[in-house]
């Protein structure tokens, strides 16, 4: 009886994709539980992982305003490390499940290699690293712009207006060419994977592809992730809605209606912030 090599390859790929899907969803579930525990303990009320005002580092506790921590460079470095660790957990919870089609594409590509699991782990780690670097850029921007904005009395007295404007910007970004281009690349990762894969340097290729896809994902989703930072007490529910929207735009066959939904959601958050109906995250020390 003739053996179909293609069928064998498909079975091999499926054998790797099922555990991959289960592992990604399990890791994301643990990350979500960590975020729920954080917010449930009161740490997410107006500061912390998703609701921390990424503004200037305060003298008492840089990047984590209002805690009254001891001043000094060590406190600043510790606060930055905690914020980045929380940001990484938030990325794992919110961005890893939407990246499943990308990881499954990689799984099919490396399915017949002995080190396939480690290559997939390297790809996923590089993807998360790209988002951690984006978090560092966010902190740097906050440290640079915070003192400038906080020094303007009219702005410093209205932090809700700043947060609302940021949310409205997130909504407007959904209609930009950059968003469309990045979303198209996110939805069809096979071209990026095949173009950048090198069988003679698999580890370099896997990490490079993970970083590239992560950068594209940042370009697609940074504005929606911004909502989780500018909002205070309702950060966790907004994270849940944002995560569902970002997963839907990756995995559903129709995407154009979701652009308006995402923009409308971000715009509604912005208007509620400006109106004072939604508490913003602390921005000024």
């Amino acid at each position: 009886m003739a053996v179909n090599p293609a069928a064998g390859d498909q079975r091999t790929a499926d054998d790797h994709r099922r555990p991959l899907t289960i592992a990604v969803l399990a890791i994301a579930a643990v990350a979500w539980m960590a975020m729920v525990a954080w917010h449930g303990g009161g740490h997410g009320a107006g500061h912390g992982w998703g609701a921390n005002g990424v503004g200037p580092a305060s003298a008492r506790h840089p990047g984590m305003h209002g805690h009254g921590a001891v001043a000094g460079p060590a406190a600043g470095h510790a606060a930055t490390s905690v914020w980045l660790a929380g940001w990484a957990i938030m990325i794992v919870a919110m961005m890893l499940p939407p990246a499943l089609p990308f990881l499954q594409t990689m799984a099919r590509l490396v399915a017949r290699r002995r080190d396939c699991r480690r290559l997939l782990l390297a790809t996923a780690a590089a993807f998360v690293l790209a988002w951690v670097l984006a978090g560092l850029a966010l902190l740097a921007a906050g440290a640079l712009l915070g003192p400038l904005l906080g020094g303007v009395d009219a702005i410093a007295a209205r932090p809700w207006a700043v947060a609302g404007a940021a949310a409205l910007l997130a909504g407007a970004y959904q209609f930009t060419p950059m968003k469309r281009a990045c979303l198209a690349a996110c939805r069809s990762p096979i071209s990026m994977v095949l173009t950048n894969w090198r069988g003679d340097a698999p580890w370099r290729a896997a990490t490079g592809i993970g970083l590239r896809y992560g950068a594209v994902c940042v370009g697609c989703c940074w504005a929606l992730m911004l909502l989780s930072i500018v909002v205070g007490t309702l950060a966790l529910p907004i994270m849940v809605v944002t995560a569902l929207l970002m997963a839907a735009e990756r995995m559903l066959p129709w995407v154009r209606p979701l652009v308006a939904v995402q923009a409308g959601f971000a715009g509604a958050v912005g208007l509620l912030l400006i109106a004072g109906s939604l508490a913003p995250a602390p921005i000024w020390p």
Side-chain angles (χ1 to χ4, degrees):
M1 183 175 65
V3 177
N4 185 348
D9 290 345
Q10 183 62 43
R11 283 195 299 271
T12 302
D14 288 342
D15 289 343
H16 287 87
R17 280 191 295 168
R18 291 190 190 98
L20 172 65
T21 302
I22 294 171
V24 166
L25 295 180
I27 292 170
V30 171
W32 274 111
M33 286 188 286
M35 290 200 297
V36 169
W38 177 275
H39 284 262
H43 300 289
H47 55 271
W49 297 350
N52 180 18
V54 188
S58 71
R60 289 177 300 171
H61 196 158
M64 303 285 283
H65 310 302
H67 285 243
V70 177
H77 295 322
T80 299
S81 299
V82 169
W83 192 92
L84 285 174
W87 172 261
I89 292 173
M90 187 170 73
I91 293 306
V92 169
M94 298 178 67
M95 300 310 308
L96 208 54
L100 258 176
F102 162 66
L103 294 174
Q104 289 170 345
T105 300
M106 282 295 297
R108 288 195 296 269
L109 182 65
V110 301
R112 301 185 71 84
R113 301 186 64 97
R114 290 182 178 180
D115 53 354
C116 61
R117 287 188 176 88
R118 286 177 291 171
L119 286 171
L120 285 174
L121 181 60
T123 303
F127 170 80
V128 173
L129 176 60
W131 272 103
V132 171
L133 294 176
L136 276 171
L138 190 62
L139 280 172
L144 184 65
L145 295 176
L148 298 176
L149 296 176
V152 180
D153 292 339
I155 296 177
R158 299 172 177 83
W160 61 87
V162 177
L168 292 175
L169 173 65
Y173 181 75
Q174 306 309 309
F175 298 103
T176 62
M178 176 68 75
K179 165 71 179 191
R180 290 196 297 269
C182 290
L183 179 57
C186 284
R187 285 175 59 87
S188 301
I190 188 168
S191 176
M192 178 185 297
V193 169
L194 295 180
T195 300
N196 294 282
W197 174 254
R198 288 184 56 191
D200 59 336
W203 289 95
R204 181 183 299 178
T207 54
I209 290 170
L211 285 171
R212 286 174 182 268
Y213 188 78
V216 169
C217 189
V218 170
C220 179
C221 300
W222 71 268
L224 288 177
M225 293 295 287
L226 188 64
L227 296 180
S228 300
I229 294 173
V230 300
V231 176
T233 53
L234 289 182
L236 186 60
I238 286 176
M239 285 181 195
V240 173
V241 175
T242 302
L244 291 174
L245 288 173
M246 290 188 296
E249 74 176 358
R250 297 290 206 297
M251 299 179 178
L252 293 181
W254 39 269
V255 68
R256 186 166 296 181
L258 287 174
V259 173
V261 172
Q262 290 173 334
F265 175 66
V269 171
L271 292 176
L272 288 173
L273 284 165
I274 291 173
S277 300
L278 195 59
I283 298 176
W284 323 118

